Amino acid sequence: MRMNNFLLLPIIIPFFFGIILMFGQKNLKYQRSFALLGIGLALISALSLLIKVKNDGIQKVTFGDWPVPYGITMVSDMVSALLVTTTLLIAIFVVWYGFGSITKERERFFYYPGIMFILTGVNGAFTTGDIFNLFVFFEVLLMASYLLIVLGGEKGQLKGSIKYILINVISSALFVITVAFLYSVVGTLNMADIAVKIADINQPGIVTVIAVLFLMVFGLKAAIFPLYFWLPTSYAAAPIPVLTLFGALLTKVGIYAITRTYTLFFVHDLSYTHDLLMALAVATIIAGCIGALAYHDVKLIIIYNIVIAVGVILFGVSQMNEIALKGAMFYLIHDMLIKAALFMLIGIVIYITGTSDLRKMGGLMNKYPALGWFYLIAAFGLAGIPPLSGFVGKLLIAQGGFEAGSNWSSIFILASSLLVLLSVIRIFLYAFWGEEKETTGTVDKKVYHTLFMPTVILVLITVAYGVGSEWITPFMDDAAKLLSDPSIYIDAVLKED
Amino acid sequence: MKINDVILRTVTKTVVFIILTLGIYLFFAGHHAPGGGFIGGLVLASGIVLLYLAYDIETVHKGMPFDFKKVAALGVLLATGTAIGSLFFDAPFLTQTHSYINVPIFGKMGFSTVTIFEAGVALTVVGVVVTIILSISEDE
């Protein structure tokens, strides 16, 4: 019997470095270099894990050498390996970007440990194979995010964080209640075992109720339609690197949890659960589009674009066929990368102009042509113009939608791209074109380059993701196969080795 | 008028020892009886908080010159250390091991790596509780 602790490295390494960074709190050089080193090492192990999962299939380890349904199992399949790798890839750029953007006082007060712990939580949530362990990792990442959102103690941050913490405390309590319900019905916490037990009893009404409760819990984290109200004001309060991390990672953990539960557990009453999910996904897109077009604040425009993307991905999940699930995976990874890039870009714009109000900006194209063009590329990528990164995902989602017979909503998904494009092009038109306006921000060349370099590389990665989708397709195929056929996951976890 | 708190301080001197002993008892009892790292750590922390109540912060700090944030970090390091240790013995993460050793006076005793893990938990709890109390009290 071969033990396989390797898949834990992307979780343990950030955690370990987070603890190490608790010491030597005032030493900036130490904090910065060790934070980068930790994420770098974790990224390397995540990449090799991705290759290992591709070659050898699903990896798992059960803590403490207990037999499978009794111990906590960590499972790394293609879905989680891809998400873990993307998470760490984004984190490295966010930390680099933070060198120019985050204030020294914040850096000295556990900013880097906060980032490390948030990565621990996110990677753990992506990798765990136990529903209660998922809750624990949710709390790990939420605690760290509470620190990061309030760190600095500005008035807006305090206001935003109260809302954020309240909502998340309530949703965590709901999560515990829902797990308790599920445990009382099936009597197990291991995800693969739950899936088997639900299939055995053929999903009676109570399990469908639990499915909807899970949708509420994870929907609060992922910001789906009636439950997204907390997100814009809370996120807008955080400083740009923190906002980037939140926007790129946190809602995606909720999406992942919905995807996992709705493709593994609750697959026996599709006409109710998945139709509900589809209706909510479409409503989420509408709400996001309205928000993205309504505001003149660059932060809020991109934040509402998160909501739109949540809807698009969950629409793909709700179709439950292999093509749409593949599209959802493509779009999920794309969206993590592009949202990070966009937040970093508008962070630079805000740094240059000293305001986040579009109407006070203008004419940046003269002085910062490179920034302008890279913003345009990222905006086109977000809208899904071929050959950029958003194209393949949305194409596959729409194709899957047509195949599943939801024609009108698929057409709606395609049409919503136009509104997405309009919302981000508005930033381009206002901020980069037109007459040059007086800027209140003071631009330091060195800081500007620290901000610009990681952003450009991230934009180029998104371009490579779109242009090179041929190379990524085999990974996505594996992920989609796994999501559309729960027995692969169940067999891999429960079988004796 | 200066308040005379000689009774509080005298009682504290005696009671703190009882509380700390109880905390350590609870910590070691955890494997076979109710107790363990978390509750043991809480009781230890409550002893320290009692000291802070009876004396002022500077006096207690002279006796216990720890940065409690680092105590908490050390605790987490200890707990994950035992978990990571299992990696080097080719066992799954968090595998615990135990053995019986003949100790001169006490005779045959069981030792387990869970105790180190729990010691980490206890240190973390002490560190976190005292940090919270101190940060609130020092706030102007």
Side-chain angles (χ1 to χ4, degrees):
Chain A
M1 192 167 74
R2 283 302 325 131
M3 278 314 143
N4 189 5
N5 286 306
F6 186 60
L7 70 99
L8 296 174
L9 287 183
I11 306 165
I12 300 174
I13 293 174
F15 188 52
F16 184 72
F17 273 87
I19 303 164
I20 298 285
L21 287 174
M22 296 277 290
F23 303 96
Q25 166 192 1
K26 306 283 178 206
N27 188 343
L28 274 189
K29 249 189 201 137
Y30 163 77
Q31 290 276 323
R32 288 178 171 188
S33 53
F34 266 66
L36 268 188
L37 179 70
I39 300 176
L41 285 176
L43 179 62
I44 292 167
S45 53
L47 279 171
S48 26
L49 176 66
L50 185 67
I51 292 162
K52 196 171 169 58
V53 171
K54 177 76 194 131
N55 293 334
D56 305 346
I58 295 172
Q59 305 287 313
K60 62 153 185 180
V61 62
T62 307
F63 286 161
D65 220 0
W66 294 95
V68 165
Y70 306 111
I72 293 171
T73 316
M74 300 297 268
V75 187
S76 188
D77 54 18
M78 193 40 92
V79 181
S80 80
L82 277 169
L83 288 169
V84 165
T85 313
T86 317
T87 301
L88 290 165
L89 187 69
I90 289 168
I92 219 163
F93 291 110
V94 171
V95 168
W96 182 5
Y97 185 90
F99 294 163
S101 168
I102 212 85
T103 54
K104 293 220 164 29
E105 294 74 46
R106 287 192 173 102
E107 279 187 289
R108 288 205 185 91
F109 219 86
F110 303 117
Y111 169 72
Y112 294 109
I115 288 199
M116 294 314 225
F117 291 136
I118 219 172
L119 289 177
T120 312
V122 171
N123 285 344
F126 285 146
T127 314
T128 185
D130 183 286
I131 196 81
F132 196 76
N133 204 231
L134 179 68
F135 168 75
V136 175
F137 275 121
F138 260 112
E139 288 304 302
V140 170
L141 75 90
L142 285 175
M143 294 283 169
S145 73
Y146 299 156
L147 165 75
L148 288 178
I149 203 170
V150 81
L151 185 59
E154 288 160 22
K155 199 176 167 196
Q157 282 183 301
L158 295 175
K159 213 166 119 191
S161 63
I162 284 284
K163 210 173 189 179
Y164 181 71
I165 293 173
L166 262 179
I167 283 296
N168 278 305
V169 166
I170 291 167
S171 81
S172 295
L174 256 180
F175 194 172
V176 176
I177 293 167
T178 314
V179 170
F181 276 140
L182 186 65
Y183 186 70
S184 71
V185 174
V186 295
T188 178
L189 290 172
N190 182 297
M191 288 197 199
D193 206 26
I194 292 173
V196 172
K197 298 267 157 63
I198 289 178
D200 281 349
I201 53 176
N202 202 19
Q203 195 165 342
I206 182 73
V207 176
T208 305
V209 171
I210 293 169
V212 175
L213 274 172
F214 266 125
L215 188 61
M216 269 178 70
V217 170
F218 296 138
L220 264 168
K221 318 259 184 203
I224 63 173
F225 165 59
L227 309 168
Y228 71 99
F229 53 88
W230 56 273
L231 183 122
T233 39
S234 311
Y235 276 22
I240 290 290
V242 175
L243 172 61
T244 311
L245 211 58
F246 283 19
L249 304 181
L250 294 196
T251 51
K252 273 60 180 184
V253 184
I255 295 176
Y256 165 79
I258 293 177
T259 311
R260 185 60 90 195
T261 48
Y262 272 61
T263 55
L264 188 62
F265 299 171
F266 311 116
V267 289
H268 309 281
D269 190 8
L270 295 184
S271 63
Y272 188 82
T273 50
H274 286 61
D275 279 2
L276 177 67
L277 183 60
M278 186 171 85
L280 289 180
V282 171
T284 308
I285 297 172
I286 296 174
C289 285
I290 293 172
L293 292 175
Y295 286 95
H296 279 94
D297 185 307
V298 277
K299 274 190 192 175
L300 282 171
I301 292 174
I302 308 294
I303 287 172
Y304 274 103
N305 268 296
I306 301 178
V307 179
I308 302 176
V310 168
V312 173
I313 298 164
L314 287 178
F315 177 81
V317 173
S318 72
Q319 299 308 307
M320 270 315 265
N321 57 33
E322 207 174 317
I323 295 178
L325 285 167
K326 188 168 144 189
M329 273 310 288
F330 250 115
Y331 203 81
L332 181 53
I333 306 284
H334 143 77
D335 192 62
M336 289 168 85
L337 293 168
I338 200 84
K339 285 286 145 61
L342 276 172
F343 277 121
M344 284 154 82
L345 282 163
I346 61 156
I348 300 177
V349 171
I350 292 172
Y351 174 70
I352 293 170
T353 57
T355 172
S356 63
D357 191 339
L358 272 182
R359 285 164 295 198
K360 291 182 187 150
M361 301 175 184
L364 287 177
M365 208 59 175
N366 294 331
K367 269 191 190 157
Y368 304 94
L371 180 66
W373 292 119
F374 275 108
Y375 177 80
L376 194 66
I377 292 172
F380 281 165
L382 179 74
I385 290 176
L388 296 170
S389 58
F391 172 65
V392 187
K394 210 170 252 179
L395 178 75
L396 289 170
I397 288 177
Q399 192 187 340
F402 284 122
E403 229 164 74
S406 12
N407 294 342
W408 280 110
S409 31
S410 302
I411 291 169
F412 173 74
I413 298 279
L414 294 176
S416 73
S417 297
L418 289 175
L419 295 180
V420 170
L421 185 64
L422 178 61
S423 72
V424 280
I425 285 299
R426 265 173 73 231
I427 299 182
F428 186 73
L429 295 182
Y430 275 94
F432 290 97
W433 280 4
E435 270 176 48
E436 215 163 318
K437 297 239 175 93
E438 236 173 276
T439 55
T440 47
T442 44
V443 180
D444 178 351
K445 268 281 169 236
K446 218 174 126 202
V447 174
Y448 176 75
H449 283 295
T450 331
L451 298 180
F452 192 60
M453 281 312 290
T455 313
V456 167
I457 297 175
L458 200 56
V459 173
L460 289 177
I461 289 176
T462 69
V463 173
Y465 181 82
V467 176
S469 47
E470 196 70 37
W471 293 308
I472 300 155
T473 306
F475 295 92
M476 295 299 172
D477 278 336
D478 281 12
K481 207 170 285 160
L482 191 115
L483 288 175
S484 58
D485 182 7
S487 65
I488 302 175
Y489 182 93
I490 295 168
D491 288 346
V493 176
L494 290 181
K495 74 159 195 271
E496 296 295 318
D497 47 6
Chain B
M1 193 187 83
K2 197 171 177 296
I3 301 165
N4 191 338
D5 48 8
V6 67
I7 295 177
L8 177 66
R9 289 191 175 183
T10 316
V11 172
T12 301
K13 272 177 194 159
T14 340
V15 166
V16 154
F17 278 102
I18 301 173
I19 295 177
L20 293 183
T21 316
L22 177 70
I24 290 167
Y25 165 75
L26 280 172
F27 170 73
F28 281 112
H31 206 72
H32 299 288
F38 183 76
I39 198 75
L42 269 186
V43 173
L44 287 177
S46 72
I48 297 172
V49 171
L50 180 61
L51 281 178
Y52 278 117
L53 283 179
Y55 298 88
D56 53 314
I57 289 175
E58 284 77 30
T59 315
V60 183
H61 234 107
K62 234 180 270 165
M64 285 188 298
F66 310 126
D67 178 354
F68 280 94
K69 285 198 257 329
K70 283 179 183 147
V71 171
L74 191 73
V76 183
L77 201 61
L78 207 59
T80 39
T82 63
I84 292 172
S86 56
L87 299 191
F88 297 106
F89 295 96
D90 205 24
F93 189 69
L94 269 170
T95 305
Q96 308 289 346
T97 179
H98 62 93
S99 72
Y100 292 95
I101 297 170
N102 275 313
V103 182
I105 299 165
F106 299 99
K108 195 175 153 195
M109 288 183 75
F111 287 92
S112 155
T113 51
V114 180
T115 317
I116 308 174
F117 181 85
E118 288 289 309
V121 174
L123 279 182
T124 311
V125 172
V126 170
V128 168
V129 170
V130 178
T131 305
I132 291 173
I133 301 276
L134 281 186
S135 339
I136 295 172
S137 69
E138 278 171 348
D139 211 27
E140 292 294 308

